Amino acid sequence: MVREKVTVSTRTLQWKCVESRVDNKRLCYGRFILSPLIKGQADTIGIGALLGEIEGTCITRAKSEKIPHEYSTIVGIQESVHEILMNLKEIGLRSNLYGTCGAFICARGPGYVTAQDIISPPSVEIVDNTQHIARLTEPIDLCIGLQIERNRGYRYSIKRPNNFQDGSYPIDAVFMPVRNANHSIHSYGNGNERQEILFLEIWTNGSLTPKEALHEASRNLIDLFIPFLHGEEETLHLEYNRHKGTLPPLTFHDRLAKLRKNKKERELKYIFIDQLELPPRIYNCLKRCNIHTLLDLLNKSQKDLMKIEDFRIEDVKQLLGILEKHFTID
């Protein structure tokens, strides 16, 4: 057994990455430590990391009018339709997508069709362009429409006969970018002074780095506990103020200044825009500009928001209306 020395903090709670490597484009590994922890805390954090709850992007449906059924073969293509669908399932994607979008493949044989032949929106990035899809053995055209979706967990596609009538085939979706995770605990100290070091190992599919996965898992845990930062009376007060309407955009800066004054900055830092139930287009615009929390948003003026690509004055009005539904801005 090989033992390695790792320098850890024994006074202030700190974390660090002690190992990081990229085995290939579709397999990344990271090992992290967190210390010092009171006895029992390390196991609680290790179990509750929620790495399986991280969102990922994958192909969830393929469509081609020339395909009679999933288990058919096509003259001039080496793989069966089923094998092509399985290859599409394995394509690794990275995106800031909110919901679903379309993409397509249009290739001419003879030759190999790979992930590089997928034509997708700018918001979607292919992790490994060399991933194999099909081999065309004759000079034929292969055209496939694709549905790309960002979600979390695993979704088994239900095969119904009416799904295939228009040449559309659902694909089992594995949205989880974390392929494996493991944690171990090292204890040190004597008697009642014993403390623990948590070791976390994370393997990802390349769409996220292990460090990014750990950050997102941490945010998911924070989201779960945010409601407990508000007292029960405050929660009821927020519910009673959901009926308020939108305000003119000219009052945007003044109104948000009052919201910032009413809320402690520490609270604003832990309220993520994901919790505001924003329309997909507004959400994507804010995310592209690295606006992740309510504090980030309040640091922007109306003029700053209007500089965001595809962001309109109607969006400013709608955004302010949504904030009024969730918070008091009187």
Side-chain angles (χ1 to χ4, degrees):
M1 181 179 179
V2 179
R3 294 182 180 272
E4 59 178 308
K5 291 185 177 180
V6 178
T7 304
V8 298
S9 172
T10 58
R11 294 185 178 181
T12 306
L13 187 63
Q14 293 181 357
W15 75 276
K16 68 164 63 173
C17 178
V18 294
E19 186 178 355
S20 178
R21 68 172 187 264
V22 179
D23 294 333
N24 56 62
K25 288 184 178 180
R26 286 176 279 161
L27 184 60
C28 302
Y29 170 80
R31 188 157 67 105
F32 309 88
I33 59 172
L34 178 66
S35 70
L37 295 165
I38 300 171
K39 186 177 180 180
Q41 285 183 335
D43 201 41
T44 301
I45 296 173
I47 293 173
L50 292 181
L51 291 169
E53 292 295 310
I54 298 173
E55 290 188 345
T57 306
C58 60
I59 298 171
T60 56
R61 186 174 290 272
K63 182 177 181 179
S64 179
E65 296 178 356
K66 296 181 180 180
I67 300 175
H69 59 82
E70 181 180 355
Y71 296 99
S72 63
T73 58
I74 300 175
V75 176
I77 302 179
Q78 181 173 292
E79 291 81 4
S80 67
V81 173
H82 178 73
E83 289 172 325
I84 293 174
L85 293 176
M86 291 302 98
N87 291 337
L88 290 172
K89 175 183 174 180
E90 296 299 320
I91 301 294
L93 301 173
R94 180 189 296 114
S95 81
N96 58 2
L97 185 67
Y98 189 88
T100 63
C101 73
F104 62 92
I105 299 171
C106 233
R108 175 77 176 173
Y112 290 94
V113 181
T114 65
Q116 187 174 3
D117 296 301
I118 297 176
I119 301 174
S120 60
S123 59
V124 178
E125 179 184 347
I126 298 168
V127 173
D128 184 0
N129 284 326
T130 66
Q131 280 188 263
H132 179 76
I133 297 175
R135 182 191 175 197
L136 309 183
T137 57
E138 296 182 13
I140 63 170
D141 293 321
L142 177 65
C143 295
I144 304 175
L146 304 173
Q147 177 180 283
I148 295 174
E149 184 176 345
R150 181 179 175 89
N151 213 317
R152 62 181 64 184
Y154 177 85
R155 187 173 66 215
Y156 178 74
S157 60
I158 301 175
K159 307 292 193 300
R160 294 191 178 96
N162 59 348
N163 281 343
F164 312 134
Q165 291 177 359
D166 62 347
S168 179
Y169 296 86
I171 299 174
D172 295 341
V174 183
F175 295 106
M176 298 173 288
V178 175
R179 288 294 180 241
N180 192 20
N182 184 35
H183 79 278
S184 57
I185 300 167
H186 173 72
S187 299
Y188 62 95
N190 297 314
N192 295 330
E193 300 297 323
R194 292 191 68 80
Q195 293 182 312
E196 295 178 338
I197 303 171
L198 172 65
F199 289 84
L200 269 176
E201 293 181 289
I202 302 171
W203 291 261
T204 68
N205 66 356
S207 62
L208 285 180
T209 66
K211 185 180 290 188
E212 289 171 335
L214 186 58
H215 286 175
E216 189 165 335
S218 301
R219 282 184 52 189
N220 289 341
L221 280 175
I222 291 171
D223 284 349
L224 290 176
F225 286 95
I226 280 178
F228 295 105
L229 295 177
H230 307 291
E232 186 176 359
E233 292 182 2
E234 182 179 356
T235 304
L236 291 173
H237 184 60
L238 296 180
E239 286 294 325
Y240 289 144
N241 279 276
R242 286 179 176 269
H243 66 277
K244 292 200 171 187
T246 58
L247 295 178
L250 295 178
T251 64
F252 183 83
H253 186 269
D254 294 337
R255 293 289 187 172
L256 291 194
K258 289 183 179 180
L259 171 58
R260 186 165 187 168
K261 184 178 179 181
N262 293 340
K263 288 281 180 183
K264 295 179 181 178
E265 188 163 308
R266 181 174 60 85
E267 290 183 21
L268 298 174
K269 185 178 179 181
Y270 294 113
I271 300 176
F272 295 95
I273 64 171
D274 308 64
Q275 300 167 251
L276 302 180
E277 300 176 358
L278 298 173
R281 206 171 61 78
I282 294 179
Y283 176 87
N284 287 332
C285 287
L286 297 179
K287 281 287 189 179
R288 282 200 303 268
C289 296
N290 293 319
I291 299 175
H292 302 292
T293 67
L294 192 55
L295 182 60
D296 296 335
L297 178 60
L298 297 187
N299 284 332
K300 302 290 184 182
S301 66
Q302 179 178 331
K303 188 176 180 181
D304 293 331
L305 293 178
M306 292 304 298
K307 291 179 181 179
I308 299 175
E309 185 178 357
D310 298 327
F311 209 80
R312 305 167 302 184
I313 190 67
E314 290 81 6
D315 298 325
V316 175
K317 294 179 181 179
Q318 190 173 6
L319 180 59
L320 189 55
I322 291 170
L323 291 175
E324 282 202 298
K325 286 175 63 179
H326 287 78
F327 309 101
T328 303
I329 319 183
D330 289 332

